[in-house]
Amino acid sequence: MEQANDLDCLLAADPKQQTLQPQVCVEQNDGDTISNEQDGHKMSNRSQVKFLWLDNWNQLRNPMELLADLQKNDHAPTIPLASHLLDISSMGNVDQQQTIPQGSDEEDEGEWNIPDWIQQCEQAVELKLKWNGLKSVPGWLFQSLCKLEVVELAHNELECLPTEFEQLSNLTRLVCSHNRLTTLPSTIFASMTRLKFLHLDHNHLVTIPKTVNVLSNLEIVNLANNKLDRFPLDLCSCYNLETISLSHNRIHFNIPRELSMLTRLETLFLQDNLLSETNILPQIGECKKLKYIDLSNNKFCEFPAYLPPNINSLNCGGNKIGNLNPQIPSFKAFSANLSGLELSSTFISTLPDALSVCSHLLFVNLSHCKNITIFPQVILKWKKLLSLNLSHTEIKIIPNELSSLVTLRVLNLEQCQNLQSIPGKLIATNMTKLEQLNLRG
């Protein structure tokens, strides 16, 4: 299957940036690769095609004619039909007037840029139709290709998905990112119990169907950049979830208590919503494996009172958080596991000594904290610190003791316009691992 991985890398390239000539390449079961230009005469000796990919189609005036020639060619009648992987992307430049006669049924249905022969590829397990300007996808496509395990429809103009999607019981990966979806069929996930990766980001979804709760094997769900106003409660029944992205939505209701049921959850992206400290309930502390939380650019005025005890990295930047209260439960929950702390663009003026328990901190960002005028002394307790960002603050003096942080590699003091001087001892003594010292501005 090594060739399949290489193929994925090839297809991941942005077709708009490619300058190669259009190719139709076929990979046989024995790994040999032939093309329409080089070894087309050999196709008559092959009956089983494993992969078919159509590269640089956006440079063809009418790629349908090329496919028609292949299908009519007596030497290669099985090229599209035996394919397991179908990648037909970047066909948005196809001339509709040349491809579909005006007044035809296909023109009315908006299906003109999906080749008819695809429905005959009953052995296909992967279908990729990215960057095609599709406004709809015909239901017959998924009635015919019932063995599909991967469907990628990203970067189109889809406003809805056909109900026939629910027949894809073998699906493990569904990518419909960067479309115009406003809603999904209520039963779309009913049979997708094998689904592991779900990407619906960059759409206009306001809710998620309840049938998402049957996705017991789901590991990653990306719902970023939609119009959700609450955390989808039914996601909390997907017990194998490891990563949830709900960033860039409009969430302003409480994070559900049932989140604690996701015992395998490791990463939670909630940045750029409308959340406040009251929306984070104590039950989040029961997510023992949760290591990374991004709460940046929300409506927090205080540091979250409840956080998981084993958190590894926390981002609360871009909020209106003032001075941190060392009495809140979060400080007691912090353990030596915390390695990254992001508090940039907040209203804090100092850091409490209670944070000294975070002795394994590696990365700290306090940039654009305009209220910081005095160097926070607790920083000197973080002996394993690798990167410290104090840029765009009002700090006046850097203490000599900073040289005790012998592991420090990056020190950013850019645009600290009130900074009076840098102690010579800072550079001349123990800080032999310092690689970047930014003093611009």
Side-chain angles (χ1 to χ4, degrees), residues 81-268:
L81 305 186
S83 298
H84 288 187
L85 184 151
L86 302 172
D87 187 300
I88 307 178
S89 301
S90 302
M91 290 175 59
N93 291 339
V94 175
D95 190 333
Q96 182 176 3
Q97 292 182 351
Q98 289 191 0
T99 307
I100 300 296
Q102 291 185 358
S104 69
D105 292 339
E106 287 181 316
E107 181 186 38
D108 293 337
E109 295 174 3
E111 300 173 11
W112 60 270
N113 47 4
I114 297 181
D116 288 339
W117 55 260
I118 287 186
Q119 63 183 316
Q120 302 177 53
C121 301
E122 297 177 353
Q123 302 303 314
V125 294
E126 295 191 28
L127 174 64
K128 301 181 180 181
L129 294 169
K130 302 172 291 183
W131 294 100
N132 282 320
L134 292 171
K135 295 183 178 180
S136 65
V137 181
W140 56 256
L141 186 62
F142 303 108
Q143 287 178 325
S144 304
L145 309 183
C146 57
K147 295 183 180 181
L148 285 174
E149 298 176 8
V150 175
V151 173
E152 296 190 8
L153 298 170
H155 296 279
N156 282 292
E157 300 176 13
L158 300 174
E159 296 182 359
C160 62
L161 297 176
T163 56
E164 287 82 0
F165 245 100
E166 66 184 67
Q167 301 179 25
L168 301 179
S169 58
N170 293 318
L171 209 61
T172 61
R173 178 182 176 88
L174 175 59
V175 181
C176 294
S177 309
H178 294 272
N179 277 284
R180 299 176 182 178
L181 298 174
T182 57
T183 185
L184 298 172
S186 60
T187 58
I188 186 172
F189 301 120
S191 301
M192 297 183 186
T193 55
R194 298 183 182 182
L195 195 66
K196 291 185 177 181
F197 309 101
L198 176 60
H199 296 267
L200 295 169
D201 53 289
H202 292 84
N203 280 288
H204 304 295
L205 297 171
V206 296
T207 185
I208 302 299
K210 291 183 176 296
T211 51
V212 74
N213 63 11
V214 306
L215 306 182
S216 57
N217 288 302
L218 193 63
E219 297 177 3
I220 296 176
V221 57
N222 188 351
L223 296 169
N225 292 87
N226 277 287
K227 297 181 179 181
L228 302 173
D229 66 356
R230 65 193 69 204
F231 191 110
L233 177 60
D234 294 289
L235 283 180
C236 297
S237 297
C238 304
Y239 301 126
N240 282 304
L241 268 174
E242 297 176 0
T243 299
I244 299 176
S245 179
L246 289 165
S247 64
H248 297 271
N249 276 283
R250 302 173 180 178
I251 300 174
H252 61 275
F253 289 96
N254 287 352
I255 303 302
R257 302 173 187 272
E258 290 79 2
L259 185 68
S260 61
M261 299 168 62
L262 301 180
T263 57
R264 297 189 178 186
L265 187 63
E266 296 183 359
T267 306
L268 181 59

Side-chain angles (χ1 to χ4, degrees), residues 123 338 398:
Q123 302 303 314
L338 188 67
I398 300 296

